[in-house]
Amino acid sequence: MGKLLRNLLKSPMFVIGVSIFVLTLLIAIFGPLFYNVDTHARDIVAGPYAGSSSAHWLGTDHLGRDYVSLLIAGLRSSLYVGFVAGIIATTIGVLIGLFGGFRGGWVDEVLNMLTNIFIVIPQFVILVLISSAVKDGRSLTLIGLIIGLTAWSWSARAVRAQASSLRSRDHIALARLNGASTLTIVIKHVLPYLLSYVFMVFIMQVSSGILSEASISMIGLGPVDSTSFGIILNQAKDNGALSDSIWIAFIPATIVVTLTVFALYLINTSMEGVFNPRLRK
């Protein structure tokens, strides 16, 4: 494990990706300590679309709220939704893929059929339908929950393939001969081999969760009484920023969400290059 970690630290993609993502986390966590986010993101501090100044670095939005505060609040919300969705989708996908792929037989067939059903159903359509039905009760946690419950299928498919390849290994056969139960074998002898792979799945699910929330929020179906990147872009679009070429209302939010997702992509790609021997060759 130490050798793999050293190889990761030698990867420019990994270092760049981690650096960018850690920076976003630090801004989301500690930004309110240096910038009055709760007040500035809620209260009107200047005129609509006021220009940048020493007090308001990126100016204001259509209501006169400080734009930097909105970005920090949006970053916190988007990361929260991404992590909630990532935890839920990864947990469900790993459990279904792990037990189905390792157990085989009718269990695998039933779980694989369920996975295939969720794969062929467009996730975005489900998100739109559920978000439209919830209406006034859409919170950040609920949006993350909905995204996680609809995004686990490809994780299950990927983990199932890995678990199936481990089923015939010698150490698994030895554990069976010693009388270990399926649950014990999965926890002690299968899951440790998949931890790096599960972590990569989680990273991509977080990234997918951030983009999914931004997508549904941009069409007006995001969390109620919250601020996220999608909501910032939706409000800018609905209040004439695009038609009036007020690019400051779009560009910063787009850059931040793009950098966040791109950082996660770099981390995942670099980890796959280190943990997959065939890619290293």
Side-chain angles (χ1 to χ4, degrees):
M1 193 66 178
K3 182 179 179 181
L4 292 175
L5 181 58
R6 288 193 296 271
N7 289 336
L8 278 175
L9 294 176
K10 293 178 182 178
S11 170
M13 282 197 303
F14 182 79
V15 174
I16 293 173
V18 169
S19 300
I20 296 174
F21 190 66
V22 168
L23 178 61
T24 62
L25 286 178
L26 292 176
I27 293 174
I29 296 172
F30 299 108
L33 297 179
F34 304 97
Y35 214 88
N36 197 348
V37 173
D38 291 336
T39 299
H40 288 168
R42 182 180 65 249
D43 297 342
I44 297 175
V45 296
Y49 295 128
S52 59
S53 64
S54 58
H56 310 292
W57 300 343
L58 293 177
T60 61
D61 70 344
H62 64 287
L63 294 177
R65 298 172 299 181
D66 182 77
Y67 199 78
V68 172
S69 297
L70 290 174
L71 285 179
I72 296 175
L75 181 60
R76 291 165 64 91
S77 299
S78 296
L79 286 174
Y80 176 78
V81 171
F83 276 105
V84 171
I87 291 172
I88 293 173
T90 302
T91 301
I92 297 174
V94 168
L95 289 177
I96 291 179
L98 190 60
F99 283 99
F102 181 76
R103 187 68 180 269
W106 68 269
V107 174
D108 184 34
E109 292 180 4
V110 172
L111 294 179
N112 191 41
M113 180 181 66
L114 179 64
T115 301
N116 291 334
I117 291 174
F118 273 84
I119 286 178
V120 299
I121 299 176
Q123 180 195 1
F124 188 73
V125 174
I126 299 178
L127 290 177
V128 170
L129 292 176
I130 297 178
S131 298
S132 300
V134 175
K135 293 183 180 179
D136 296 333
R138 294 191 301 266
S139 64
L140 291 173
T141 303
L142 181 60
I143 293 296
L145 176 65
I146 295 172
I147 295 173
L149 290 175
T150 57
W152 59 265
S153 55
W154 66 266
S155 299
R157 171 67 63 83
V159 173
R160 173 180 175 269
Q162 298 292 324
S164 298
S165 66
L166 292 172
R167 191 166 53 193
S168 58
R169 298 287 179 89
D170 292 338
H171 70 285
I172 301 297
L174 182 61
R176 283 200 180 101
L177 290 175
N178 289 331
S181 64
T182 300
L183 181 61
T184 301
I185 295 174
V186 168
I187 294 176
K188 290 186 176 182
H189 303 285
V190 177
L191 190 57
Y193 282 83
L194 297 178
L195 284 181
S196 60
Y197 192 81
V198 170
F199 187 68
M200 288 190 290
V201 168
F202 172 71
I203 290 174
M204 294 311 295
Q205 288 288 9
V206 172
S207 174
S208 176
I210 293 173
L211 289 177
S212 296
E213 185 278 325
S215 299
I216 62 174
S217 294
M218 279 190 65
I219 60 176
L221 296 176
V224 179
D225 298 328
S226 298
T227 299
S228 69
F229 291 129
I231 292 175
I232 292 174
L233 296 175
N234 173 262
Q235 292 177 346
K237 172 180 65 68
D238 290 345
N239 289 278
L242 183 61
S243 59
D244 295 336
S245 299
I246 306 175
W247 303 113
I248 195 66
F250 288 94
I251 293 178
T254 303
I255 290 176
V256 175
V257 71
T258 301
L259 282 176
T260 304
V261 173
F262 181 63
L264 292 170
Y265 170 79
L266 289 179
I267 295 172
N268 181 77
T269 303
S270 59
M271 290 182 65
E272 189 173 6
V274 170
F275 292 126
N276 191 333
R278 288 177 296 179
L279 290 181
R280 287 203 302 270
K281 294 179 181 179

